[in-house]
Amino acid sequence: MDQSTPSPIRSHLALIRKAGSFAAIGVVNAALDFGVFWIAVQTFEIPKIPANVLSWAVAVSASYVMNSFITFAAESGRKLAWRSYSKFVAGGVAGMVTNTAALLIGDWVLSFVLQSENWRLALAKLGAIGASFVVNFSISHFVVFRQQAANDN
């Protein structure tokens, strides 16, 4: 099969590779998100929602940089731009809303089965990060780093 000819299989594999790269970067960002959140809540006694927004802001900025240089390098030209960063952040707000809603719902649901507030909060935060992955990847792939068609140039 000619490499220049797109095929459904090749397109699906490319999407899977991008999702895998996005997920690997997401693991780094999840650790960053969780770490900033946990320190904010446990050390600085910042309430859950502001701590979650703070940790998200730090993680989304790191995510933009890493994804621009790795996952979406071809689409971004490995260049950081305020326009794409602002779209990434604006789109990330949906991920943050998803993350915060999942955190609060998860904490509430887990309160029926776990007595330890720390375990509930930790598990709810991990679930929230997973829920926001789906939203964040979709926005990044289909909006922020969308591949331009030849006639779009």
Side-chain angles (χ1 to χ4, degrees):
M1 187 179 312
D2 185 338
Q3 291 285 15
S4 65
T5 305
S7 73
I9 293 172
R10 192 172 290 119
S11 296
H12 284 28
L13 289 175
L15 183 61
I16 290 168
R17 278 193 297 275
K18 280 193 187 299
S21 175
F22 193 85
I25 289 170
V27 168
V28 172
N29 284 310
L32 181 62
D33 186 347
F34 189 90
V36 170
F37 173 78
W38 200 254
I39 290 167
V41 170
Q42 298 295 325
T43 304
F44 297 106
E45 298 180 359
I46 296 173
K48 286 183 264 195
I49 293 174
N52 197 53
V53 173
L54 170 66
S55 67
W56 171 83
V58 171
V60 79
S61 295
S63 181
Y64 170 73
V65 171
M66 286 187 269
N67 279 299
S68 291
F69 284 103
I70 300 168
T71 306
F72 300 104
E75 294 85 351
S76 70
R78 289 195 168 125
K79 294 182 180 167
L80 303 177
W82 284 110
R83 183 174 180 197
S84 62
Y85 176 70
S86 63
K87 286 196 302 186
F88 190 83
V89 170
V93 168
M96 192 249 314
V97 169
T98 301
N99 187 294
T100 301
L103 173 74
L104 295 175
I105 292 166
D107 188 42
W108 176 74
V109 168
L110 289 169
S111 72
F112 294 105
V113 294
L114 290 174
Q115 289 184 352
S116 169
E117 185 177 344
N118 285 342
W119 274 108
R120 276 196 329 257
L121 195 57
L123 291 173
K125 181 60 179 170
L126 290 172
I129 290 168
S132 64
F133 169 83
V134 174
V135 173
N136 290 330
F137 179 73
S138 298
I139 290 170
S140 293
H141 180 71
F142 295 112
V143 178
V144 178
F145 298 107
R146 163 175 92 80
Q147 214 168 19
Q148 300 295 316
N151 58 1
D152 283 354
N153 295 330

